[in-house]
């Protein structure tokens, strides 16, 4: 298994080989290495990681073709977890990640537009693929807008009720997001 450090970008020549060979790359990304995801994490992503498996294929195997030009594809699977702040109690919430998506690799926005809605696409930059960016994009798109513990009884369980935790700068957000306790007698 190659580490994420070794494959910040997959060059166009290597990409061609991977597609031709139907190869699979298994990569591990500490969430801390994915800046946009780490920014959502109370621990800055230091506690969780994501495993990504990228299986390349020529795109000619039985998938409907929009035009005569076959676009190479990558089957992306992401597993692992991200830690986020629960938007109800603001305590850490570990969200298991399980994503599987088939992405068509395109070289330009114009080509992506030609493929209409039939495909999820990933845009290559100068013919190169940036796996970390693709993984992060897909996970961000998959995340719930307001992650919360599955039920209210799980909320605040680690907080020890009212405690020094309430002095955290984000504690005020709980009131903003709170349900039903507005001053409503205007
Ligand atoms: Zn919660």
């Amino acid at each position: 298994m190659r580490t994420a450090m070794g494959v910040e970008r997959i060059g166009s020549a290597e990409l061609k080989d991977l597609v031709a060979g139907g190869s699979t790359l298994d990569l591990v990304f500490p969430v801390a290495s994915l800046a946009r995801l780490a920014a959502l994490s109370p621990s800055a992503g230091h506690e969780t990681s994501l495993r990504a498996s990228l299986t390349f294929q020529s795109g000619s195997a039985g998938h409907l073709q929009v035009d005569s030009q076959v676009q190479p594809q990558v089957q992306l699977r992401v597993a692992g977890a991200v830690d986020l702040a629960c938007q109800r109690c603001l305590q850490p919430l570990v969200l298991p990640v399980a994503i599987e998506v088939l992405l068509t690799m395109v070289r330009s926005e114009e080509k992506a537009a030609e493929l209409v809605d039939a495909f999820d696409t990933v845009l290559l930059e100068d013919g190169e693929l940036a796996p970390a960016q693709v993984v992060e994009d897909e996970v961000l798109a998959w995340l719930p807008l307001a992650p919360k513990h599955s039920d209210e009884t799980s909320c605040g369980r680690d907080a020890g009720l009212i405690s020094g935790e309430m002095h955290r700068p984000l504690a005020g957000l709980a009131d903003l997001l709170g349900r039903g306790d507005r001053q409503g007698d205007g």
Side-chain angles (χ1 to χ4, degrees), residues 77-89:
R77 293 182 190 82
V78 185
V82 291
D83 56 330
L84 302 167
C86 170
Q87 295 305 300
R88 190 155 47 207
C89 68

Side-chain angles (χ1 to χ4, degrees), residues 102-184:
L102 181 67
L103 299 169
T104 298
M105 295 184 282
V106 295
R107 288 173 176 272
S108 67
E109 299 277 6
E110 291 74 22
K111 179 58 74 180
E114 283 176 28
L115 293 172
V116 296
D117 295 332
F119 300 95
D120 287 324
T121 57
V122 56
L123 193 62
L124 302 178
E125 292 173 36
D126 301 325
E128 299 182 337
L129 182 70
Q133 190 181 327
V134 173
V135 168
E136 190 172 29
D137 283 347
E138 291 300 320
V139 173
L140 284 167
W142 173 87
L143 286 181
L145 282 177
K148 293 180 185 131
H149 287 109
S150 56
D151 60 83
E152 290 183 46
T153 58
S154 305
C155 270
R157 184 162 283 177
D158 298 328
L161 298 175
I162 300 167
S163 73
E165 289 290 313
M166 294 304 286
H167 294 297
R168 295 186 314 161
L170 277 176
L173 196 58
D175 297 324
L176 295 174
L177 296 171
R179 301 135 295 121
D181 51 3
R182 296 187 193 121
Q183 311 288 331

